[in-house]
Amino acid sequence: MRMPPEVNKHVQVAGTGSALPERIMTNAELSRMVDTSDEWIVERTGIRQRHIAGEDESTASLAWQASVRALEAAGMQASDLDLIVVATTTPDLVFPSTACLLQAKLGIENHCPAFDVQAVCSGFVYALATADNFIRAGQARTALVVGAETMSRITDWTDRSNCILWGDGAGAVVLRAAEEPGILGTVLHADGRYRDLLHVEAGVSSGLDKSRAVRMQGNAVFRFAVNTLDQIVDETLTRFGLQKSDVSWLVPHQANIRIIQATAKKLGMSMDRVVLTVDQHANTSAASIPLALDTAVRDGRIRPGDVLLMEAFGGGFTWGSALIRWTQQGGA
Ligand code: ACO
């Protein structure tokens, strides 16, 4: 790893990428598996379909595809990276980390640090904040930040109250030190008292033989998420001195369209300023924000100069946000 002697003033996103498994599972297919309907799922969640990883796909393989695309968009080589941070709740292995598996897949031999961050659906915002701080502190000049998940592997396909929600995928961003912002700031929070509302029982220390499926009291989580995201919008804008009207795009965690609509209302934004992928991707946990971001960057909606507000809420509970002034993609 290069060790620049000085701190870096700002951090910009140089490129984005994403990857989705080929297999699509529609609501119609789900309604043949559990007692539900396309109508109920669309009305209560906004989800129409989700992508499901095949046997030959994994969190690391999706992360690798998204990373290759992000590096290409940034005009950079994998060997240019000083840091890799992967946000995931569904790692390929207990260890090595998915970030280390990704480093090997990218063929990087420069010994840059690589590690995973686990904050469930807030994972990407946590990973972005971590890499942003590494670069600002002068411990890296470039970083690859990935959100990648195979949530289908921890889904109980007989539980209609939550199997309808999840999807698989990965999104990645390449960050670089810069003279101008970039990332205007990040806000992170957690409250560990709510494990019973949203958790997976199985774990290395508590027993891998326990249930590996997501258990969620959806209604309680929903209410908590709406209130918490409401507060973090105010906190973020106040902390970084922006008005609601300064935000060009809301790029939210894609859990449920009704949660997203509540945040947009709080911001006084019309839904055409919100990047929505929940209908196509469902809830891909840590992958959902970078997947949505890459979608809107590639279709030309997000333009240099736009201000993006990202926000997420997830298991833990964890929640967080990032404000970004968008800059030109590709080589500096
Ligand atoms: N199809 C048909 N009916 C259903 C289904 C289904 N798939 N699931 C539940 N129902 C029924 C229930 O049985 C209930 O019936 P009843 O009234 O006869 O008892 C009724 O629908 C209402 O159930 P609720 O659970 O109150 O439904 P709700 O409107 O809350 O929607 C949902 C459930 C979609 C899960 C919602 O609560 C939600 O999105 N919660 C938040 C999820 C979230 O954001 N999680 C955080 C991130 S995830 C992470 O970090 C890993």
Side-chain angles (χ1 to χ4, degrees):
M1 179 176 68
R2 291 189 294 277
M3 294 292 282
E6 291 166 15
V7 296
N8 294 303
K9 230 166 151 186
H10 294 293
V11 180
Q12 294 181 352
V13 177
T16 66
S18 61
L20 289 160
E22 210 173 297
R23 165 150 157 63
I24 290 173
M25 184 189 282
T26 61
N27 290 349
E29 185 179 346
L30 253 178
S31 63
R32 291 192 291 273
M33 295 159 62
V34 286
D35 181 15
T36 189
S37 65
D38 176 55
E39 197 187 8
W40 192 95
I41 299 171
V42 172
E43 192 194 313
R44 304 309 294 164
T45 70
I47 297 166
R48 292 180 185 277
Q49 62 170 46
R50 68 285 295 142
H51 290 251
I52 303 293
E55 273 175 27
D56 56 342
E57 288 172 309
S58 71
T59 296
S61 74
L62 292 166
W64 172 75
Q65 281 177 38
S67 300
V68 168
R69 289 170 188 153
L71 283 163
E72 193 181 61
M76 282 167 51
Q77 306 292 319
S79 55
D80 296 330
L81 294 170
D82 293 336
L83 171 70
I84 299 174
V85 187
V86 175
T88 188
T89 302
T90 48
D92 284 30
L93 307 172
V94 172
F95 71 85
S97 68
T98 305
C100 283
L101 300 179
L102 174 60
Q103 188 195 45
K105 275 179 183 291
L106 288 168
I108 300 175
E109 295 173 2
N110 70 3
H111 299 173
C112 72
F115 57 90
D116 288 359
V117 164
Q118 214 280 42
V120 203
C121 297
S122 312
F124 179 74
V125 177
Y126 266 66
L128 188 75
T130 304
D132 180 43
N133 283 310
F134 259 79
I135 296 177
R136 283 178 206 260
Q139 290 210 313
R141 285 191 59 80
T142 61
L144 174 65
V145 180
V146 186
E149 302 280 14
T150 42
M151 294 301 287
S152 63
R153 306 264 156 86
I154 54 168
T155 297
D156 175 352
W157 293 103
T158 65
D159 177 0
R160 72 170 184 173
S161 71
N162 93 49
C163 73
I164 55 164
L165 298 172
W166 311 110
D168 300 336
V173 297
V174 175
L175 303 182
R176 63 173 170 223
E179 290 303 311
E180 303 288 333
I183 298 176
L184 302 172
T186 53
V187 178
L188 303 179
H189 289 293
D191 187 336
R193 290 174 296 172
Y194 297 95
R195 155 192 164 150
D196 289 347
L197 296 185
L198 180 54
H199 69 283
V200 171
E201 277 173 29
V204 177
S205 192
S206 59
L208 287 169
D209 53 334
K210 292 188 179 165
S211 167
R212 284 188 291 152
V214 178
R215 299 288 171 217
M216 178 167 70
Q217 294 182 32
N219 215 286
V221 175
F222 184 95
R223 284 197 303 274
F224 206 104
V226 169
N227 288 335
T228 307
L229 292 171
D230 202 89
Q231 287 163 26
I232 206 168
V233 165
D234 283 338
E235 183 186 355
T236 309
L237 294 176
T238 304
R239 194 185 290 186
F240 302 110
L242 293 191
Q243 307 293 318
K244 289 176 183 174
S245 56
D246 293 326
V247 179
S248 324
W249 291 102
L250 178 63
V251 188
H253 169 49
Q254 312 280 325
N256 184 318
I257 196 167
R258 293 183 293 133
I259 297 176
I260 297 171
Q261 283 164 338
T263 310
K265 194 171 167 204
K266 165 82 184 171
L267 278 161
M269 288 178 104
S270 62
M271 286 304 284
D272 59 1
R273 304 305 287 170
V274 178
V275 180
L276 265 189
T277 49
V278 69
D279 56 334
Q280 300 299 306
H281 301 165
N283 183 346
T284 56
S285 192
S288 92
I289 290 179
L291 263 165
L293 176 69
D294 187 51
T295 302
V297 168
R298 284 178 192 263
D299 69 21
R301 269 179 288 174
I302 293 177
R303 318 268 316 154
D306 286 351
V307 173
L308 278 50
L309 175 61
M310 298 171 173
E311 44 78 357
F313 179 87
F317 289 142
T318 56
W319 61 101
S321 65
L323 262 182
I324 302 180
R325 188 177 299 284
W326 203 248
T327 47
Q328 193 64 43
Q329 304 286 279

